Amino acid sequence: DAVSVDIGIHEGDSEDVKNKATQNEFGSGNIPERSFIRSTIDENAERYSKAAEILVGMMIDGEISKFEALERMGQQIESDIKSKIVSLKSPPNSPRTIMEKGSDNPLIDTGEMLNSIRYVIKTEANRILGGD
């Protein structure tokens, strides 16, 4: 039975993607913090809370299952995080990085990190086994 939804980078993604995501989310060395997960959640917390209330009401009324409610939240938050990655412009890349990448988007180079953002519905079995 579905118990939670996790959104972000997951087990099975390359270590390179995990490292880039962590370095940008929190900052590291000469890489400034460019939060795309925490900032998306913070900016949309009220909207997510209202959506969760509506979805719980629909579950109580038997209109949707818990899995469907988690799936809807996961889809929305995944979409919002990906939009943030595409639209984030500050702090900008250094001129050297822009020349190397051929782009001034701080969070997109190959698109691998963007495409690695996804939601996963967790079940009790996942939690017991510690799986993703």
Side-chain angles (χ1 to χ4, degrees), residues 14-128:
S14 76
E15 287 303 312
D16 186 49
V17 167
K18 290 177 189 175
N19 289 336
K20 285 179 185 174
T22 301
Q23 289 170 349
N24 279 288
E25 181 69 26
F26 298 102
S28 172
N30 63 347
I31 299 170
E33 180 179 317
R34 295 183 178 102
S35 174
F36 56 95
I37 295 176
R38 291 172 300 139
S39 62
T40 298
I41 301 303
D42 290 347
E43 291 163 11
N44 293 287
E46 189 174 322
R47 186 167 61 98
Y48 296 152
S49 180
K50 287 178 182 175
E53 283 181 39
I54 291 168
L55 292 169
V56 167
M58 293 172 73
M59 285 172 35
I60 290 169
D61 292 342
E63 296 174 37
I64 61 172
S65 68
K66 186 175 182 182
F67 181 89
E68 290 169 314
L70 292 170
E71 189 171 51
R72 289 183 189 187
M73 287 299 295
Q75 289 169 343
Q76 183 61 60
I77 297 169
E78 175 186 315
S79 174
D80 291 345
I81 291 171
K82 287 180 174 183
S83 292
K84 178 76 168 218
I85 289 171
V86 171
S87 67
L88 190 135
K89 300 295 181 208
S90 181
N93 280 325
S94 71
R96 179 173 158 246
T97 301
I98 293 170
M99 275 188 29
E100 288 174 6
K101 284 175 40 171
S103 161
D104 68 348
N105 187 309
L107 294 178
I108 297 181
D109 185 7
T110 65
E112 186 179 17
M113 186 177 77
L114 174 71
N115 293 327
S116 293
I117 299 293
R118 65 189 187 287
Y119 72 93
V120 174
I121 305 293
K122 298 282 207 160
T123 64
E124 194 60 39
N126 291 118
R127 287 184 167 192
I128 291 168

